Amino acid sequence: MSVKIAALVGSLRAGSHNRQLAEAAVKVAPEGVEVVIVEGLADVPFYNEDIDVEGAAPAAAVALRTAAADADAFLFFSPEYNGTIPAVLKNAIDWLSRPYGAGALSGKPVAVVGTAYGQFGGVWAQDEARKAAGIAGAKVLEEAKLSVPGSVVRFAETHPVDDEEVTGQLVTVLEQVAAAVAAPAAA
């Protein structure tokens, strides 16, 4: 069984360490697991029910929902902005939570990982992302975690894919997500 994981990156910065962490996930994905980075989050307008009209929703939001519908599971990469989740990631969750009760996240496994400059690696933001995804209907994998502290120093001269400790933990998270996709089929 092949598992397709949609990666949503909560940082838009060109040199984002979370984007690099997502790139590492693409490269180290175990056999049978495909990680696809969802592009275009910067183009998705802030969620507004007035513009979320069937057949007339913004193209960027439709593209996000299409990418999400094609995925078996999700991996969110979240930095920490002022102690919480970045707006771009929260906005993506909001769009994917609709229509209420039948959004693209409904019942699908979601894990949240990330890196941040601080000493805890963005755990507050990651906890907030888990909370929002769960309320949106996702099956949040509470045990699948990776918080890499000190990103500015740790990744100053190395890409996360070249950090053996980080890639080992990332592979573990990917295996946990893939197992959660397979679990309902085994039941």
Side-chain angles (χ1 to χ4, degrees), residues 34-127:
E34 177 188 14
V35 178
V36 178
I37 299 173
V38 176
E39 304 291 353
L41 294 186
D43 301 324
V44 179
F46 282 112
Y47 185 79
N48 176 343
E49 199 169 3
D50 292 340
I51 64 172
D52 188 9
V53 179
E54 190 172 337
V62 171
L64 171 63
R65 285 178 171 162
T66 299
D70 290 342
D72 300 307
F74 299 89
L75 186 55
F76 296 163
F77 293 82
S78 184
E80 190 167 276
Y81 293 173
N82 297 315
T84 193
I85 184 174
V88 69
L89 185 55
K90 176 62 169 73
N91 188 49
I93 294 169
D94 290 344
W95 276 101
L96 295 176
S97 72
R98 299 290 192 255
Y100 181 76
L105 293 174
S106 289
K108 291 185 179 178
V110 172
V112 182
V113 300
T115 184
Y117 178 70
Q119 65 180 334
F120 301 111
V123 293
W124 289 349
Q126 293 164 32
D127 287 344

